[in-house]
Amino acid sequence: MSNFDESQWIDSVRGILKNGLGIDTDLRPSIFTVPKTLMSSDPDSYTPQQLAIGPYHYWRPGLYEMERYKLAAAIRAETYLLGNHKFEYVVDQLEKHVLRIRACYQKVLTISNEALAWMMAIDASFLLEFLMVYPMKEGKVTTTYPSKSMSHLSGTKAALNTILRDLVMLENQIPLFVLRKMLEVEYSSLEAADEMLQAMLMGFCEELSPFKMMKDTPVINVSECQHLLDYLYDTIVPNAQETKVEITVVVEDQSGEAKESVTIEIDAAAAGDPTYVKKLFSLIWKYLSKVNFVKRLPWGKLSKALPGISLIVQMIQQMNPGKNGKEKSDDDSDMNKPPLMEEITIPSVTELANSLVHFRATTGDTSTVRFDAKKRTLHLPTISFDVNTEVILRNLVAYEASYASGPLVFTRYTELMNGIIDSEEDVKLLREKGIILNRLKSDAEVANLWNGMSKSIRLTKVPHIDKAIEGVNKYYNRQWNVKFRKNMRAYVFGSWKCLTFLAAITLLFLTMVQSFCSVYNCRKFKFVSGSSSVG
């Protein structure tokens, strides 16, 4: 606090109150600083090592050396602008959107609008030139950015991997619409620019994603993605479209005419959840009870004449027990509660294999996780491990924790893998089944990677993954050898204090007997008692 300047802070607050925050407050930030709980576990996985993209790490001394390569990319980009525009034209176009750019960042950016626009233009030029190699691999021919322009940076595999890891870090992103604006100046239309950007990102994610992308994967709209990491996240954790089921209830007035129409919406995906079914019937009855026709029905006589009606009435009364306007509602009692720690507990791969559980690799993303109880098979997506995988996984978890408003699907998947992998033997079994493709030096490295990703921001429920965990635990706990071990642990090993006490009492008793026999001749005593009894 010694360096805090009160007058400067007051001037800053006055300027903000007078001129506004300088950002579009209606937009939600998408580029965050990594939460401290995650950053503390492995800072190198979240901090750029060679390349700074965006304002968070731009002026770090160790990264500023890459500035000359970015300026060289900007010079080459100028030669491909339509209409003989200069590079300043791109900067001017981006400066018109500077409020939107600032709104994408969680931290308040203290640099000027002009400097921010220049930074975005230069970084976008470099990033587009770097990504241009991926549509070329897919066979798409482009007249811009020669393929050899990045050869001086990607001369070695190690240098290329370092840049790739830096590009997927949460704190090292720029808004994707900046790339679209840049390409729009170079192509004849926005549609052509989006098509080329789509090809770049698809090729980049296919190269970098730990999961194998399916050919029939729905195309992700680049206009709906926030940045490069967000696009990669969407390919691994597709957004489930929420299908709404609408039920309209018309309430009549005394004359029998329609008075009001009420529409009830529920998620079709949760149709099998008893909580949602209960909620649906409660809402329907709430409004049907206001209808004159329903009020006039002789429910007492109907329930006596038709047994089925009485069951329905009882069910409705149980779901609406309250009278005098007081109703107990537990619609959301369990839906949004975080899972308990014991719910995350799951046997290791080795323990499951010893209990005759099979493992089968699936092609796709995290949505393919499931457990088939009849076939005793746990289905898991194939995931490959190389020198870039840990950085990718950690930053995906960090981004999901910072941005996702719903369930943390990818985080839950990492918790599942962390639960079933305890040792290199577990990794070996999954590798033999094709679930893990290991390009690292040993299986122990993969095991240490998963075990090191134990920290998460918050616990969450993901229906299909939690269903798989529950199914595995139910099957495993039914095995006789598991029950035997648990009983031994609970009733034998768990009672060691009692057993120790009994052993001490027994030892004390024997010591007393030995002392007694040392004073009195126990052998003679037995002989006398024996002879007397005989006589």
Side-chain angles (χ1 to χ4, degrees):
M1 294 296 292
S2 58
N3 297 327
F4 180 72
D5 190 338
E6 292 184 356
S7 60
Q8 184 178 359
W9 176 78
I10 293 174
D11 292 340
S12 176
V13 171
R14 282 176 177 170
I16 291 174
L17 294 177
K18 182 179 180 181
N19 303 318
L21 286 172
I23 62 173
D24 190 342
T25 54
D26 294 333
L27 296 178
R28 182 184 173 191
S30 60
I31 303 174
F32 303 87
T33 55
V34 176
K36 292 182 179 180
T37 53
L38 299 179
M39 177 68 80
S40 61
S41 61
D42 187 6
D44 289 342
S45 293
Y46 307 103
T47 307
Q49 303 298 311
Q50 185 172 341
L51 174 68
I53 296 291
Y56 284 171
H57 298 274
Y58 203 84
W59 284 281
R60 272 181 52 201
L63 305 180
Y64 199 71
E65 297 177 359
M66 289 291 296
E67 188 69 11
R68 64 189 183 98
Y69 295 106
K70 293 197 280 187
L71 291 175
I75 293 173
R76 287 189 290 269
E78 187 178 40
T79 60
Y80 300 107
L81 299 180
L82 295 178
N84 295 324
H85 289 299
K86 297 296 182 181
F87 193 78
E88 287 84 352
Y89 175 78
V90 177
V91 177
D92 294 339
Q93 295 300 310
L94 292 178
E95 196 168 356
K96 297 177 182 178
H97 301 276
V98 73
L99 296 183
R100 182 181 176 187
I101 294 172
R102 289 182 181 275
C104 294
Y105 291 90
Q106 179 191 30
K107 289 175 62 176
V108 177
L109 305 180
T110 57
I111 60 176
S112 65
N113 291 344
E114 184 181 7
L116 183 60
W118 274 97
M119 180 189 297
M120 292 292 118
I122 293 172
D123 285 356
S125 301
F126 177 88
L127 193 54
L128 288 173
E129 186 170 293
F130 185 87
L131 294 175
M132 190 55 66
V133 67
Y134 295 102
M136 289 181 178
K137 289 182 180 181
E138 299 296 322
K140 288 185 176 292
V141 181
T142 175
T143 58
T144 62
Y145 302 123
S147 59
K148 296 182 180 180
S149 59
M150 282 288 160
S151 59
H152 53 287
L153 283 179
S154 56
T156 63
K157 188 69 175 177
L160 176 62
N161 285 328
T162 302
I163 294 177
L164 289 174
R165 289 193 294 270
D166 288 346
L167 289 179
V168 297
M169 291 183 180
L170 175 58
E171 296 184 358
N172 216 32
Q173 302 294 317
I174 61 174
L176 206 60
F177 80 85
V178 173
L179 302 184
R180 296 180 68 213
K181 291 293 180 182
M182 186 84 182
L183 286 174
E184 187 179 3
V185 182
E186 299 176 6
Y187 285 81
S188 57
S189 65
L190 182 59
E191 290 75 15
D194 283 350
E195 182 181 357
M196 179 52 63
L197 183 59
Q198 181 79 43
M200 293 182 195
L201 297 178
M202 286 182 64
F204 176 80
C205 291
E206 188 172 359
E207 179 84 11
L208 204 61
S209 175
F211 300 91
K212 188 175 181 180
M213 297 178 63
M214 295 182 293
K215 294 183 179 180
D216 57 346
T217 302
V219 177
I220 299 173
N221 191 348
V222 294
S223 63
E224 298 177 357
C225 291
Q226 306 300 323
H227 42 72
L228 194 62
L229 181 62
D230 181 51
Y231 189 95
L232 178 61
Y233 177 84
D234 287 345
T235 62
I236 297 174
V237 187
N239 292 327
Q241 297 295 330
E242 293 185 356
T243 305
K244 297 291 186 181
V245 176
E246 293 187 358
I247 300 177
T248 302
V249 179
V250 179
V251 181
E252 300 174 348
D253 59 9
Q254 297 295 331
S255 62
E257 296 182 357
K259 183 179 179 182
E260 70 173 312
S261 177
V262 181
T263 300
I264 305 170
E265 289 187 350
I266 64 168
D267 293 334
D273 194 317
T275 306
Y276 276 89
V277 175
K278 183 177 179 180
K279 180 179 180 180
L280 173 62
F281 276 102
S282 298
L283 288 173
I284 291 177
W285 179 253
K286 178 180 178 181
Y287 291 104
L288 282 178
S289 60
K290 301 178 182 179
V291 180
N292 292 328
F293 172 72
V294 176
K295 286 181 180 179
R296 292 193 295 265
L297 284 175
W299 291 104
K301 295 181 180 180
L302 286 175
S303 61
K304 293 179 181 178
L306 301 173
I309 295 295
S310 62
L311 293 176
I312 296 176
V313 173
Q314 290 177 9
M315 181 179 67
I316 293 175
Q317 289 175 347
Q318 289 176 0
M319 290 190 293
N320 297 273
K323 292 183 179 181
N324 301 324
K326 295 182 180 180
E327 297 180 355
K328 294 183 180 179
S329 176
D330 60 347
D331 299 336
D332 300 322
S333 59
D334 296 322
M335 291 300 296
N336 297 319
K337 285 184 179 179
L340 301 175
M341 288 303 297
E342 54 265 25
E343 292 179 309
I344 302 174
T345 303
I346 187 171
S348 67
V349 174
T350 304
E351 292 172 331
L352 292 175
N354 292 336
S355 299
L356 304 180
V357 173
H358 305 293
F359 297 89
R360 177 166 295 180
T362 61
T363 301
D365 48 57
T366 55
S367 62
T368 60
V369 175
R370 66 184 181 91
F371 178 69
D372 189 339
K374 293 182 179 179
K375 297 181 179 180
R376 308 191 308 273
T377 303
L378 179 59
H379 298 262
L380 296 170
T382 299
I383 179 171
S384 61
F385 286 85
D386 55 27
V387 294
N388 301 322
T389 304
E390 182 173 8
V391 171
I392 296 171
L393 296 180
R394 286 183 176 275
N395 280 274
L396 286 171
V397 169
Y399 174 62
E400 183 180 63
S402 303
Y403 188 73
S405 56
L408 306 182
V409 179
F410 191 75
T411 301
R412 193 63 168 161
Y413 164 77
T414 61
E415 290 173 352
L416 168 62
M417 297 301 292
N418 181 28
I420 64 175
I421 294 178
D422 291 334
S423 64
E424 57 183 306
E425 184 64 27
D426 298 326
V427 177
K428 179 183 177 183
L429 290 173
L430 293 181
R431 176 169 54 79
E432 291 173 349
K433 297 298 182 181
I435 295 174
I436 288 180
L437 304 178
N438 188 10
R439 297 184 178 90
L440 298 176
K441 295 179 181 179
S442 65
D443 292 336
E445 289 190 37
V446 178
N448 293 335
L449 188 155
W450 281 121
N451 293 327
M453 294 185 61
S454 57
K455 289 188 176 181
S456 60
I457 298 301
R458 58 183 170 90
L459 298 178
T460 183
K461 280 188 175 182
V462 178
H464 74 279
I465 296 180
D466 283 283
K467 184 179 180 181
I469 295 174
E470 182 182 0
V472 169
N473 286 331
K474 281 185 177 180
Y475 170 81
Y476 180 76
N477 291 329
R478 286 199 302 262
Q479 304 305 304
W480 69 266
N481 55 339
V482 176
K483 290 181 179 179
F484 177 77
R485 284 199 303 269
K486 286 188 174 181
N487 290 333
M488 287 290 292
R489 195 179 297 115
Y491 299 109
V492 179
F493 302 121
S495 305
W496 66 271
K497 292 183 179 180
C498 181
L499 295 176
T500 303
F501 176 75
L502 292 176
I505 294 296
T506 304
L507 182 61
L508 181 61
F509 174 76
L510 293 175
T511 303
M512 292 173 64
V513 171
Q514 185 181 15
S515 301
F516 178 82
C517 291
S518 63
V519 176
Y520 302 97
N521 194 343
C522 296
R523 190 174 299 175
K524 181 179 179 180
F525 176 77
K526 290 181 179 179
F527 175 76
V528 172
S529 62
S531 61
S532 62
S533 63
V534 172

